[in-house]
Amino acid sequence: MFADTIIATFLPAGALSALYYADRLNQLPIGVIGIAVGTVLLPEMSRRLTAGDHVGAMEAQRRAFDFTLLFSVPFVAAFLAVPDVITRALFARGAFTRGDAAAAGATLAAYAVGLIPFVLIRSAVSTFYARKNTATPVKASLTGLAVNMLLKLLLMGSLAQVGLAFATAIGAWINLLLVLGFAVRAGYLELNRALTQSVLKFALVGVVLAAVLWLAAQFAAAHFGAMAGRDEAALLLLVAVGALVYGGSILALFGMRWLRKLV
């Protein structure tokens, strides 16, 4: 974000504001979900490893992944499918125009491409920190940062602040994939069938939710066009429809027993 802010000062007016407002929304699931779960996971893994329970430590990390994805997938689906509705409803008033909201929405969608690694990275590196290995996560982080900076310079001309946000997302994916790869190679993480199936199910639920949200947004645009507070009403509709569809999809694919076990 520090690099984005500096580079955005060389872009046309409005780029810096679009980055700021999009990042505020993107930071919500990162802080409330990703960092919170990772903070709780680290002492849990450390305690299990100290007791020699390596299997239990890996299981705790897999549960943390599931818990994080359960609450993060709706954000990813919404930020990718209907970012413009969100930014208009929250910010489009006063000097903040609908055009400004559209720019912030496009930037939010670019950030959302990397939201999954953003929320998972804190839990992913816990397996190294719990073993007092701080060098490996730093190597992965610096590699992702280098790619991030290179892409920013390449994309800022054609995509402006959206390119900066997209570069940040790609850098986050590289960081996470390297951390997971190092963890698997060291035997700290096992990509077993249960974890693979869980990720695939979450991906399917996310696609379904994104499609439903997009259709609901089209319905709102067609029927709320002339009313006052149409953007706020549209966002409330999306929240209600999304909650029903997501909750039903999770129960259908995972089942109540999985939810009870997770909690």
Side-chain angles (χ1 to χ4, degrees):
M1 189 59 193
F2 180 66
D4 286 348
T5 302
I6 294 177
I7 297 174
T9 59
F10 298 96
L11 296 176
L16 195 57
S17 295
L19 278 170
Y20 174 81
Y21 285 101
D23 184 64
R24 293 305 88 197
L25 290 172
N26 194 52
Q27 288 292 335
L28 176 61
I30 295 174
V32 174
I33 303 169
I35 293 178
V37 173
T39 300
V40 173
L41 175 63
L42 179 56
E44 171 71 8
M45 292 192 73
S46 298
R47 182 179 62 80
R48 290 180 179 272
L49 290 172
T50 301
D53 184 11
H54 293 270
V55 175
M58 286 194 289
E59 178 62 26
Q61 187 177 40
R62 285 195 292 268
R63 290 180 66 240
F65 286 164
D66 281 346
F67 197 82
T68 302
L69 289 173
L70 176 65
F71 288 99
S72 300
V73 167
F75 285 96
V76 178
F79 290 172
L80 287 174
V82 289
D84 52 336
V85 177
I86 297 172
T87 52
R88 284 201 309 268
L90 294 179
F91 306 127
R93 55 187 55 86
F96 198 97
T97 67
R98 293 175 71 85
D100 296 328
T107 308
L108 176 61
Y111 272 133
V113 172
L115 186 53
I116 292 299
F118 276 134
V119 295
L120 285 181
I121 191 64
R122 189 68 174 264
S123 296
V125 300
S126 291
T127 187
F128 293 97
Y129 291 155
R131 294 174 170 87
K132 298 179 174 59
N133 178 352
T134 58
T136 300
V138 170
K139 293 176 183 177
S141 178
L142 290 177
T143 303
L145 179 61
V147 174
N148 179 4
M149 294 301 299
L150 178 61
L151 287 176
K152 287 184 193 303
L153 297 176
L154 293 175
L155 298 176
M156 62 177 287
S158 57
L159 298 176
Q161 82 281 352
V162 176
L164 299 181
F166 186 67
T168 301
I170 297 302
W173 272 111
I174 291 175
N175 186 11
L176 177 66
L177 292 176
L178 284 175
V179 168
L180 294 178
F182 292 149
V184 171
R185 187 177 66 180
Y188 299 164
L189 176 66
E190 181 182 353
L191 299 179
N192 56 16
R193 182 179 179 183
L195 179 60
T196 303
Q197 286 182 341
S198 179
V199 171
L200 292 176
K201 287 179 180 179
F202 276 119
L204 178 59
V205 172
V207 171
V208 171
L209 178 60
V212 170
L213 290 175
W214 185 84
L215 291 173
Q218 301 309 304
F219 173 86
H223 292 80
F224 298 168
M227 65 179 290
R230 59 186 182 276
D231 294 325
E232 292 81 357
L235 183 58
L236 289 175
L237 174 65
L238 294 178
V239 170
V241 172
L244 290 174
V245 170
Y246 187 67
S249 299
I250 290 294
L251 288 176
L253 285 180
F254 289 91
M256 184 60 71
R257 182 180 179 183
W258 176 87
L259 280 174
R260 291 198 187 99
K261 183 179 179 181
L262 183 66
V263 175

